[in-house]
Amino acid sequence: MTKSHLVISTLLALGCGFGGGLDPGPPDGTGIKGTLIFNGAWPPETADVAVAVYQRRPQSLADFFSIAGWDTTVALGVTRFEYFVPLESPGSYEWVVVAWRPQGGFWNFSSLLGCYHVGNDTLPTPVQVTIGETVKNVDIQNYFDLVQGVDRPDREICTGFLPLLPAGLKPVGFGRNDLRPGNRR
Amino acid sequence: MVVLGTELGVESGEDGEFRLAGLPLGRYGLSISMLGYAAYFEKNLNLEITGIHLDIGLLPSPLELPALIVSATKRPRSFVDASTSVAVLGGDEILEHNSVSLDESLDYVPGVHMVSGQVNIRGSSGFSRGIGSRVLMLLDGFPALSADNADVKWDAIPVDQIERVEIIKGAGSALYGTGALGGIVNVITRNPSARPETRFRILAGVYSDPVHPEWEWASGKRLFENLDVTHSSTSGKLGYILGLGQKWTNGFKENGWHRRYKGYGKFKYAFTPTSNLTATLNWARDDHGVFVQWKDRNEPLEVPLSSKGDKTVSGKLHLNLSYYLLASPVIGYRVRSFLYRTEFNNRVGGATSSAAYKFGQEFQTDLQKGEDLSLTAGLEWIADRVDSSPTLFGRHSGLNLAAYMQAELLATNKLGISAGWRFDRYRTDDRPAEIQFSPRLGLTYKMTPTNSLRTTLGWGFRGPSIAEIYTNATFSAVPIAPNTDLVAERSLSYEIGLNNRSLSWLRLDAAVFWSRYRDLVEARPDVTGVVSFRNVSKGRISGVEASLVASWRILDFDAGYTFMDAKENLPSGDQPLPYRHRHISSSGLKARLGAISSECRFTYKSKIEKASGLFPEGTRDLIPVYLIDLSFGYKIGHLDFTLKVHNLTEYNYARVERNLGTPRRFSIGISGTY
């Protein structure tokens, strides 16, 4: 009994592929991860915050819809959040932004809380991604007062290069380049 | 011994002698069963005079079949006469699995699989974080889906009190109404014992450390323990069970800690030999951390920074009353009243809470017309009341009114016909009332005494839960918006099955099934990423299910396999329904040698082809599941020892996004009856 049982158990064990399953690598696949640091009080009308990654800085209205990847799981009301944006292809990603949406409102790409930039860069800092690699520590400082009209350098760095609104689109919210309705896909 | 078609019965003494007094004169059917013996049926016992003596010999049988089931017809009926696929999980099996929660054992049942705590029968449910179960959960026939989420609270099921679990596969709304879209799980609890009896069960264990050093997240061993004690007896006309229990674990992952206290009482009072009142009180309080998604795949046992400290305190209370009267040999009446209260206080992100009450009554009559026709009819009302945070569901109520009828006819000595219907009218707040008509037709044909064919065509529906209609919150960073336009989802299921017991050492069962769903309610994000529950699609699930049980000398073998083709009909073409496995199999080999037993069990589930779409990595981590469980048992005197290793090879897998499955777990169980 014991022998036959052991033999069958062993066969079953071997048959199912010992040692398989999920493992740590490649870490998270191709993508970007980092920490979002939120400064200031969360506006009570906050409905959503998301991280969006663009391969090129938008030069036209159509470019806003060319999002390479996103993370929509940002927790609300927190002071820090670790995000991860998976990407399909390697390359240089020029615009990594954190967008804010009010309750009852739409995504508004001038309602940005921040973008990835380092040092004395006057434009968003591009992130180089190689295949299979997760670029870590792409940390972003976020300021809620940006969506309340307060002027600070991050506004110019993150949105100063954006094209002006097409004629007929009425600005709403707090930004100058309101592109309502927005779309994050 | 049970009087067929009634709730009357009696346990024999150890010498096999039984006495059932006070039964009115008339014709009855009897079912007699005992562990290790084939069930015996006396279908036409003519009780013409008071006081008859029966001598019944039971044949030893290595392949035990459940004698009776109650869920298929709402009254005790022979298992082999059911026209729909039924699986029965014994309470002893659950204990042998060293299961703390019923869902762990259900995963071994052919045709049933769990997706992160959500029960699927033939792929019915998918995964919606528990909300809006498409499988109706019952506790002794009483509804056990919460009034707010319509979810199964597994920690409210008294595992140590389970006599058996009956699983009805396929739509069952013809008898049970809303929720029975894909099937029914009915937990039948033990009755009070005739003599004083104290039972206990101690379970303790440890989780293995992660195989990958990078996944280490905490120092010290990750442990769990569980203790249950019950006492049961019958004094005069009153039988009772009283139980207490507690559970603790620090969890194998962050926020996996859990502490539970529970109490249980069941009282059965026999007014006369033909009438009794049963009252059940089942209470549990749970305090546990909340793990919704991992930090990342390099740190899968940790929660994101923002989820640290997330926890829930919850309470569940079942209060069930059932009165049964056998008014004459051909008419029985049953009245049921119940209250199921659930509450929780979440500390997940912000603070949210909900207190939900489901209560109702049912009046049922069972009529036996001659030897070949039996009728069951009933009226039922169920009310829901939900009082939750304005930032969650708000305050809402619902009312369900229903009438049902079912007939079973033995047309010939080979052909049995079962037909029924149910009308439901339900309404939530001031939304328009919905009316559902759910018919069912079933046939059984006994080709030979040991071969039978069965076929069933049944309709099912599920009214949307209050959570699905009214949730207005952000859950684990996913914003959810209300949708007051939701309507019920419906199903039509058909199956044809074959049961073969030609060989004394082998039992085979196979079924081909097909289900069509429409107005399926799924949580889907819109273009802005806001999720709401919507009637998104039609779907169909077709497949094959087969199981066999064999016994040869000291060896028992069982195997089950389910193939499912689950498709969603979208305008762009057919797509796989989310969170369904195409292939599921489980097989076990058990050896018994005197007081020693051992078992090896292998489970395989193929890769899930489609997930929710909420997470950008999609199904990347939802790999096929291969699990091996080993267990050893030893019986000495009144004590049973069980040693179990779950996930022997420490296979790392995820059934839903960003959630690692249970790693290798060693457990030892000691149970005893005095």
Side-chain angles (χ1 to χ4, degrees), chain A residues 1 5 8-9 13 16 18 20-24 27-28 33 48 70 72-75 78 81-82 86 101 107 184, chain B residues 212 215 295-298 305-306 477 479 528-530 554 589 591 598-600 602 616 620 623 626 628 649 651-652:
Chain A
M1 178 276 292
H5 198 174
I8 291 171
S9 303
C16 76
F18 256 122
L22 296 174
D23 52 37
D28 283 301
K33 69 187 297 183
D48 266 321
W70 68 91
T72 59
T73 66
V74 180
V78 300
F81 182 84
E82 287 157 29
R101 184 176 73 85
W107 289 106
R184 28 177 194 178
Chain B
H212 304 295
W215 289 3
K295 192 172 178 181
D296 67 42
R297 200 169 127 175
N298 272 339
L305 205 60
S306 58
T528 68
V530 177
I554 60 168
L589 180 66
S598 64
E599 183 176 13
C600 176
F602 173 61
R620 181 193 66 186
I623 59 174
Y626 304 92
I628 292 179
T649 60
Y651 184 77
N652 297 302

Side-chain angles (χ1 to χ4, degrees), chain B residues 527-539:
Chain B
V527 291
T528 68
V530 177
V531 173
S532 61
F533 290 92
R534 285 177 279 162
N535 296 105
V536 291
S537 62
K538 294 177 181 176

